């Protein structure tokens, strides 16, 4: 529900301009729903006992932080009160024709999450380092996919084929690394070959998307869906007919080892989570920074965004619109291919059918939730990764939350985030529109 009001400014000029303020009730409604959910847990499903938050990765850490125990029900009631206040404040903001700020949404989400975790972990110990570490790991392919989507849509091409690019990267990295490992015995060379092969595979899928969308003016959404089906079918066929009978040679990929960064890895809480990772995760950090700086601080990014917003204007100043779109979609494909390596050589897992399990579509949701911004899309992907890992953690500690609900939690968070909290969003103006030079 959206309210549009006009405020006419008092001005001595007879032709004073009117300003329009757009407010949305989506955030207050979402706040109210989650507040009622927390209240329902406190009233109808009370749980006695304390929840212990473990804040150390192991007892051998250089700096040991004492565990924190929180009484479940008193904490949950405090959370309910805070959520009620935040909801009331958001309602007041909208009635005053003001937008609900992002910081209030973030604070509300953190408070609700604390209350839910405290309730779910009553009488048990929550390993927070493992929860956060696993969340980051699950978010890695989502972040690579989100960066792919941001670049593609910023340049004017909607990329529904992120799922196919991730899957192609996973397949190619597993096969390439396995073959090189079996023939040379060099793990380092095998891992390098797997990364390069995955990036090439992702770029090739991107080139196919670009060719049909840019040269032949085929609907970009349809092309993306077809590419997903095509890559899924091809990789499933080769897995059944080629990889499975020759798994020892073709589907036994090595794994990137963890590389703790000296000093940084010993920082409490964030050290074990951020700086005891594999090379793929460190490349993800670098990719986020490079894409953000490139998009908003360089000539390349200015041209890219100009092509995605107003291709006619870009064409008049000498920018080759279609060429710019083609090569940037291919570049974005290399990022998605690199993200696909996480499923195989990044985790030491053999390739299997449809192992990406919809990660590309969640990455696309992160693009929208993040407003086509690399940093915000990364944060959205981390949220979805946290939701995915939460189901594993709560299952281990014996939470009363039904397993069926936990399985759907990542997708439920995706729907709520995109439909409930984002409000009205506008992507690049020329996204999805082929450019025909007049």
């Amino acid at each position: 529900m959206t309210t549009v009001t006009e405020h006419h400014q008092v001005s001595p000029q007879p032709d004073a301009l009117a300003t329009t303020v757009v407010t949305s009730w989506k955030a207050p409604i979402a706040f109210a729903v989650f507040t009622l959910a927390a209240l329902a847990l406190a009233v109808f499903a009370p749980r006695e006992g304390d929840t212990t938050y473990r804040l150390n990765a192991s007892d051998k850490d250089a700096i040991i932080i004492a565990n924190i125990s929180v009484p479940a029900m008193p904490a949950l009631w405090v959370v309910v009160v805070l959520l009620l206040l935040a909801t009331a404040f958001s309602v007041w903001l909208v009635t005053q024709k003001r937008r609900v700020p992002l910081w209030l949404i973030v604070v509300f989400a953190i408070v609700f999450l604390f209350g839910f975790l405290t309730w779910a972990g009553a009488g048990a110990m929550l390993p927070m380092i493992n929860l956060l570490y696993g969340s980051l790991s699950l978010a890695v392919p989502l972040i690579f996919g989100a960066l792919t989507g941001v670049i593609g849509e910023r340049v004017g091409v909607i990329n529904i084929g992120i799922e196919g690019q991730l899957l192609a990267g996973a397949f190619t990295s597993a096969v390439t690394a396995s073959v090189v490992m079996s023939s040379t015995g060099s793990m380092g060379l095998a891992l390098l070959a797997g990364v390069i092969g995955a990036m090439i595979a992702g770029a090739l899928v991107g080139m196919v998307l670009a060719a049909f969308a840019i040269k032949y003016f085929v609907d970009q959404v349809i092309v993306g869906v077809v590419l997903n089906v095509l890559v899924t079918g091809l990789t499933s066929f080769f897995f059944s007919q080629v990889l499975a009978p020759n798994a020892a040679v073709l589907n036994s990929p090595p794994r990137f080892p963890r590389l703790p960064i000296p000093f940084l890895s010993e920082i409490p809480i964030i050290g074990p989570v951020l700086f005891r990772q594999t090379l793929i995760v460190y490349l993800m950090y670098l990719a986020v920074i490079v894409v953000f700086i490139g998009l908003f601080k360089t000539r390349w990014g200015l041209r890219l965004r100009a092509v995605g917003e107003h291709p006619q204007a870009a064409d008049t100043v000498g920018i080759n619109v279609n060429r710019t779109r083609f090569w940037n979609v291919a570049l974005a494909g290399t990022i998605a291919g690199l993200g696909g390596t996480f499923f195989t050589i990044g985790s030491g897992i053999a390739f299997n059918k449809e192992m990406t399990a919809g990660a590309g579509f969640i990455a696309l949701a992160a693009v929208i939730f993040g407003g086509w911004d690399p940093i915000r899309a990364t944060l959205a992907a981390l949220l979805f990764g946290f939701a995915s890992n939460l189901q594993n953690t709560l299952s281990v500690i014996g939470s009363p939350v039904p397993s069926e609900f936990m399985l759907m939690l990542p997708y439920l968070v995706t729907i709520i985030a995109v439909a409930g909290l984002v409000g009205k969003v506008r992507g690049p103006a020329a996204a999805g529109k082929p450019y025909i030079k007049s």
Side-chain angles (χ1 to χ4, degrees):
M1 183 187 307
T2 302
T3 304
V4 180
T5 60
E6 293 187 355
H7 301 272
H8 295 278
Q9 298 177 334
V10 178
S11 172
Q13 301 296 331
D15 56 344
L17 298 178
T19 59
T20 302
V21 178
V22 180
T23 56
S24 174
W25 283 94
K26 287 187 176 181
I29 292 173
F31 283 9
V33 171
F34 281 101
T35 301
L36 289 175
L39 181 62
L41 291 178
V43 174
F44 300 109
R47 301 193 71 206
E48 300 302 327
D50 294 347
T51 300
T52 302
Y53 289 89
R54 179 179 173 85
L55 302 178
N56 298 289
S58 69
D59 295 332
K60 298 180 180 180
D61 287 349
I63 301 176
I64 301 297
I65 301 178
N67 297 334
I68 299 176
S69 294
V70 180
M73 293 313 299
L76 182 57
W77 279 110
V78 171
V79 165
V80 170
V81 172
L82 293 175
L83 295 182
L84 283 171
L85 293 175
T87 302
F89 181 53
S90 68
V91 171
W92 178 81
L93 287 174
V94 175
T95 57
Q96 297 299 310
K97 314 307 177 189
R98 297 166 61 183
R99 294 180 180 177
V100 178
L102 180 61
W103 67 263
L104 181 60
I105 296 176
V106 172
V107 170
F108 184 94
I110 293 174
V111 172
F112 175 83
L113 181 62
F114 170 75
F116 176 75
L117 288 177
T118 302
W119 172 84
M125 178 179 291
L126 283 172
M128 294 304 298
I129 300 299
N130 293 339
L131 175 60
L132 297 176
Y133 184 94
S135 301
L136 176 61
S137 298
L138 292 177
V140 169
L142 304 182
I143 293 173
F144 279 115
L147 294 177
T148 301
V150 167
I151 293 176
E153 296 205 24
R154 282 283 186 175
V155 83
V157 178
I158 297 176
N159 189 354
I160 304 296
I162 298 174
E163 177 80 3
Q165 291 173 311
L166 291 173
L167 191 59
F171 175 84
T172 308
S173 63
V175 174
T176 305
S178 298
V179 171
V180 174
M181 184 68 182
S182 62
S183 59
T184 66
S186 172
M187 186 175 72
L189 185 60
L191 292 173
L192 177 61
V195 168
I196 294 175
M199 295 175 70
I200 293 174
L204 290 176
V205 177
M207 287 181 179
V208 174
L209 168 66
F212 279 97
I214 297 171
K215 184 175 179 59
Y216 299 107
F217 312 123
V218 180
D219 186 278
Q220 296 171 10
V221 175
I222 294 176
V223 175
V225 172
V226 170
L227 282 176
N228 287 335
V229 176
L230 175 63
V231 173
T232 300
L234 287 175
T235 54
S236 298
F237 171 78
F238 283 118
F239 172 79
S240 300
Q241 301 299 318
V242 181
L243 268 61
N246 304 281
V249 177
L250 298 178
N251 199 17
S252 299
R255 177 181 181 176
F256 275 102
R258 292 187 185 182
L259 301 174
I261 299 178
F263 178 71
L264 294 179
S265 62
E266 299 302 328
I267 300 175
I269 301 178
I270 66 171
V273 175
L274 299 179
F275 303 115
R276 296 181 189 176
Q277 296 284 355
T278 65
L279 181 61
I280 297 297
V281 180
Y282 297 138
L283 288 176
M284 180 201 72
Y285 298 158
L286 181 62
V288 173
I289 296 172
V290 169
V291 171
F292 177 79
I293 294 176
L295 276 180
F296 300 109
K297 305 294 182 180
T298 68
R299 183 182 179 185
W300 164 75
L302 180 61
R303 286 171 170 255
L304 184 151
R305 288 183 288 121
V307 167
E309 286 290 344
H310 203 307
Q312 291 84 0
D315 194 6
T316 59
V317 297
I319 300 175
N320 190 316
V321 174
N322 288 335
R323 181 186 300 170
T324 301
R325 287 183 170 181
F326 182 89
W327 290 113
N328 279 287
V329 171
L331 172 64
T334 65
I335 298 176
L338 180 58
T341 63
F342 173 82
F343 294 100
T344 50
I345 60 178
S347 304
I349 301 175
F351 180 82
N352 205 344
K353 294 181 180 179
E354 302 180 36
M355 66 185 310
T356 50
F361 298 107
I362 297 181
L364 194 61
V367 173
I368 301 172
F369 188 27
W372 294 269
D373 178 272
I375 301 298
R376 293 182 180 180
T378 297
L379 296 176
L382 288 171
L383 171 64
F384 302 147
F386 180 85
S388 298
N389 194 47
L390 183 60
Q391 61 173 311
N392 301 325
T393 302
L394 294 184
S395 298
V396 170
I397 66 173
S399 169
V401 182
S403 59
E404 294 81 4
F405 175 80
M406 297 310 302
L407 287 174
M408 73 178 185
L409 182 61
Y411 307 99
L412 183 64
V413 169
T414 303
I415 294 172
I416 293 173
V418 175
L421 297 181
V422 172
K424 186 177 181 179
V425 294
R426 186 192 74 84
K433 301 176 182 178
Y435 178 65
I436 304 175
K437 188 171 183 178
S438 56

